[in-house]
Amino acid sequence: WTATRDKSCKLPMPKGSMGFPIIGETCHWFFQGAGFHASRRQKYGNVFKTHLLGRPLIRVTGAENVRKVLMGEHSLVTVDWPQSTSTLLGPNSLANSIGDIHRKRRKIFAKVFSHEALESYLPKIQQVIQETLRVWSSNPDPINVYRESQRLSFNMAVRVLLGFRIPEEEMHCLFSTFQEFVENVFSLPIDLPFSGYRKGIRARDSLQKSIEKAIREKPLHTQGKDYTDALDVLLESAKENNTELTMQELKESTIELIFAAFATTASASTSLVMQLLRHPAVLEKLREELRSCGLLHDGCLCQGELRLDSIISLKYLDCVIKEVLRLFAPVSGGYRIATQTFELDGVQVPKGWSVMYSIRDTHDTSAVFKDVEAFDPDRFSPERSEDREGRFHYLPFGGGVRSCLGKQLATLFLKLLAVELAGGSRFELSTRTFPRMISVPVVHPTDGLRVKFFGLD
Ligand code: HEM
C-alpha cells in the first residue's frame, strides 16, 4: 500500500498520526474504542489520516463529506474491506463485489428482503423472539442481554432466514464457531499459528463445512410464492435472473447474511432493552400505542396473527427504533478505497488510500439533531422529523448503492422485539448503575447488560 500524497494535487494531506510501523494505531483503536476516532477528530478535524489493520486510512465524518464518499461509489471510490474481512467473507460475497457483478448480486438478494418475503418470515421471527423471552423469564438469574441477543439473532438468521433445522447440540457448536469467526473478521492479516487471522480462517472453513451439510439436507421449496425462508427465495430469485448459484457461492452468501445480521442486530437489541429500562416513560408510551391499536389488552399482547402492515403503522414504535439506531448505531462506518485523488473538506484524499466513512461520529456531530446526546424518540415524529434536513445526517444503514440490504428485516426484527418487551414482559436492571458502552467490534455494554426478566403473571 502506498501511503504517499498525490504530488500533482496542490491540496494538503489530511492531518493525523500514522502510529507505529506495520501495526500503525491498531492497538490504540482496539483499546480506546469509540474514543479513538472522537479524540482524533477533535484534534485533526472531520477528515483525518491514521493507520489501522495494516493499512493507511483516511477517516471521514460529517454529512456532506460522507455524502460525497457514498455517492462517489464507482467514480471516486470503490469498496475495500480490510484484508482479513475480505479473505474471510470470500470472493463471492456482496461485500467483495464491485460494478456490474455487485449490481447483479444485489438484484438477486433484493427479493430476499421484499415486502412479500418479510411478511412470510414474520410469524417465525415472532416465534423465535417469544421462545427466547420465555427462556429469559424462566431463568432465576439475570440475563447477559448482549450475549443472549447474539444467540437470538444467530437463531433468527439460521432458523428463520436459512431454514436450517440443526439439532440443539450442533447449533451450540455452530454458534461458538461463528463467534470465533466474527471476533477475527477484523484482525491484522498475519497468517501465523494462534494469530486472530488464522483462527478466523479455521472458523470459516469449519462453518462452510457445516453449512454445506445443512444446505444438502435442507428440503428446498422453490415452487410458487409460498416462501419458507430466505434461502428458498434466494434460489428462486437466482433462477429468475438466469443464474445458477454454485455451492461455493451459496456457502459464502449464507455466511455473509448471518455475519451481516448477527452482531448488528444483537447490538441494536441490547441498546433497545437498555433504553427501555432507562426511560420508563418511553416504554409506557409504547404500551399506550399498542393499546390504542388493539394489540395490547388487559396488560396482555393479543395473540392473533400480527401483520407486517400493522407493525409498519405503529408510528411511535418507529420513532423509538430510529432513535436507538441514531444514538447507538451498531456499525461505526464502512470501508472504501479512493480510485482517483479527490478533494474533501479542503484536503486531498490521494488515489489508493483507504477511506472509512463514519456513521456514529456523523450522528454524534450532526447539527440537525437538537440536544444530540439525549434519547428523544419524538425527534423523528412527523411534526419534528429532525432527519428531514438531508439523508446523510442519519445513516445507521449506510447509504448509496451499498446501503444495507437487510434494513427492513432488521427494523422488523427490532420492532417485534420491542412489541414483545412492551406487551409481554417485565424486566429490571440487575446492577446498581447502567454499564458504559464500548464500540469495538460493535456498540455494546461493557458488562453485557445484566437484566432480570419476569414472565407476566
Ligand atoms: C450493509 C448496517 C442488519 C445485510 C450494511 C451497511 C450498514 C449496515 C451500515 C453498509 C456498509 C457499507 O457502507 O459498507 C446494519 C445495521 C443492522 C443491519 C445497523 C441492524 C440493526 C442487517 C441484516 C442483514 C443485513 C439483518 C441481512 C440478513 C446487509 C448486507 C449488506 C449490508 C448484505 C451489504 C450490502 C452491499 O454491499 O451491497 N448494513 N445492517 N444487514 N447489510 Fe446490514
Side-chain angles (χ1 to χ4, degrees):
W1 291 97
T2 48
T4 50
R5 57 168 298 162
D6 182 341
K7 292 197 184 86
S8 67
C9 177
K10 300 258 178 308
L11 293 167
M13 280 295 286
K15 292 182 189 152
S17 149
M18 304 301 278
F20 300 110
I22 303 174
I23 59 167
E25 296 199 293
T26 308
C27 296
H28 303 74
W29 176 62
F30 267 117
F31 292 116
Q32 273 179 272
F36 172 82
H37 294 298
S39 64
R40 277 146 184 81
R41 179 176 36 72
Q42 277 155 17
K43 196 162 164 193
Y44 304 122
N46 269 349
V47 180
F48 66 84
K49 66 179 180 200
T50 176
H51 193 288
L52 294 179
L53 298 172
R55 66 171 63 185
L57 180 86
I58 292 177
R59 170 100 178 183
V60 176
T61 296
E64 190 44 38
N65 295 330
V66 168
R67 187 196 63 76
K68 194 160 175 185
V69 171
L70 288 178
M71 300 317 281
E73 181 83 29
H74 303 316
S75 57
L76 301 180
V77 298
T78 186
V79 73
D80 179 47
W81 289 93
Q83 194 188 320
S84 57
T85 321
S86 199
T87 311
L88 292 179
L89 288 179
N92 298 297
S93 60
L94 260 178
N96 279 327
S97 345
I98 49 174
D100 283 345
I101 297 181
H102 177 251
R103 241 189 308 272
K104 195 168 154 208
R105 288 203 173 123
R106 250 185 104 96
K107 197 167 163 214
I108 294 175
F109 267 98
K111 200 166 170 177
V112 170
F113 303 106
S114 64
H115 189 93
E116 197 179 25
L118 290 183
E119 185 86 78
S120 73
Y121 311 146
L122 192 155
K124 280 203 273 177
I125 300 177
Q126 201 184 5
Q127 195 188 349
V128 171
I129 293 174
Q130 285 171 347
E131 278 172 17
T132 302
L133 288 177
R134 229 173 279 136
V135 172
W136 291 3
S137 304
S138 63
N139 194 326
D141 299 319
I143 297 296
N144 178 324
V145 178
Y146 180 56
R147 199 183 54 211
E148 293 308 313
S149 295
Q150 287 186 329
R151 208 180 288 281
L152 168 61
S153 58
F154 185 74
N155 282 349
M156 192 274 286
V158 171
R159 297 218 163 102
V160 178
L161 270 183
L162 308 169
F164 292 165
R165 280 165 196 76
I166 296 173
E168 205 56 37
E169 194 68 4
E170 266 180 57
M171 192 76 167
H172 278 301
C173 278
L174 201 60
F175 179 65
S176 317
T177 315
F178 199 77
Q179 277 181 314
E180 176 98 342
F181 172 80
V182 172
E183 274 161 26
N184 295 298
V185 157
F186 296 99
S187 52
L188 279 169
I190 301 171
D191 190 8
L192 289 174
F194 309 115
S195 68
Y197 189 56
R198 177 76 64 89
K199 283 188 205 157
I201 291 175
R202 271 215 216 101
R204 179 204 58 193
D205 293 348
S206 161
L207 283 174
Q208 288 199 354
K209 224 187 246 166
S210 309
I211 285 170
E212 177 163 353
K213 183 166 167 275
I215 292 176
R216 291 200 190 281
E217 286 172 0
K218 178 183 175 317
L220 293 177
H221 312 85
T222 52
Q223 298 298 311
K225 299 228 173 301
D226 192 15
Y227 308 125
T228 54
D229 53 63
L231 203 58
D232 290 346
V233 186
L234 185 65
L235 289 169
E236 188 183 272
S237 180
K239 243 196 239 160
E240 285 171 12
N241 286 281
N242 301 319
T243 309
E244 196 74 47
L245 293 173
T246 63
M247 179 53 83
Q248 188 58 28
E249 282 172 324
L250 269 180
K251 284 191 289 190
E252 287 180 21
S253 301
T254 307
I255 292 181
E256 185 174 28
L257 280 186
I258 311 179
F259 170 70
F262 174 74
T264 51
T265 317
S267 161
S269 304
T270 310
S271 302
L272 170 68
V273 174
M274 190 163 84
Q275 291 314 90
L276 294 181
L277 279 166
R278 265 186 199 273
H279 302 276
V282 170
L283 185 58
E284 191 40 47
K285 200 165 164 185
L286 257 186
R287 289 192 172 127
E288 194 44 55
E289 183 173 52
L290 295 180
R291 270 184 222 112
S292 69
C293 54
L295 286 172
L296 188 62
H297 193 63
D298 280 344
C300 281
L301 267 185
C302 299
Q303 289 305 323
E305 201 185 317
L306 199 53
R307 302 295 307 253
L308 188 54
D309 287 337
S310 5
I311 288 287
I312 293 172
S313 71
L314 298 169
K315 296 291 175 235
Y316 187 65
L317 175 62
D318 191 54
C319 295
V320 172
I321 301 304
K322 277 189 175 145
E323 182 64 341
V324 167
L325 294 174
R326 182 190 69 85
L327 211 48
F328 301 99
V331 177
S332 73
Y335 293 87
R336 303 290 187 269
I337 187 168
T339 50
Q340 58 167 294
T341 301
F342 62 96
E343 180 273 337
L344 213 51
D345 223 14
V347 294
Q348 64 166 282
V349 175
K351 180 176 173 179
W353 273 66
S354 290
V355 176
M356 188 191 189
Y357 78 89
S358 150
I359 295 177
R360 210 171 308 129
D361 291 352
T362 297
H363 288 181
D364 290 351
T365 54
S366 172
V368 305
F369 298 120
K370 303 201 176 54
D371 198 0
V372 75
E373 285 176 18
F375 181 72
D376 177 11
D378 285 312
R379 68 171 82 246
F380 291 106
S381 63
E383 302 78 48
R384 286 173 58 193
S385 48
E386 290 181 0
D387 56 331
R388 75 174 152 231
E389 290 290 329
R391 56 189 221 276
F392 293 95
H393 289 277
Y394 179 71
L395 65 159
F397 294 105
V401 296
R402 291 195 171 267
S403 64
C404 179
L405 261 176
K407 172 181 169 175
Q408 309 295 352
L409 174 70
T411 308
L412 173 64
F413 175 88
L414 292 169
K415 288 184 173 179
L416 287 172
L417 178 61
V419 167
E420 292 295 333
L421 287 169
S425 304
R426 235 170 12 95
F427 47 107
E428 280 171 8
L429 186 69
S430 299
T431 46
R432 276 196 307 120
T433 52
F434 281 96
R436 210 168 47 83
M437 299 298 270
I438 43 176
S439 62
V440 178
V442 288
V443 164
H444 66 281
T446 40
D447 71 350
L449 189 68
R450 307 279 168 166
V451 176
K452 176 77 189 90
F453 285 82
F454 307 90
L456 285 184
D457 311 320

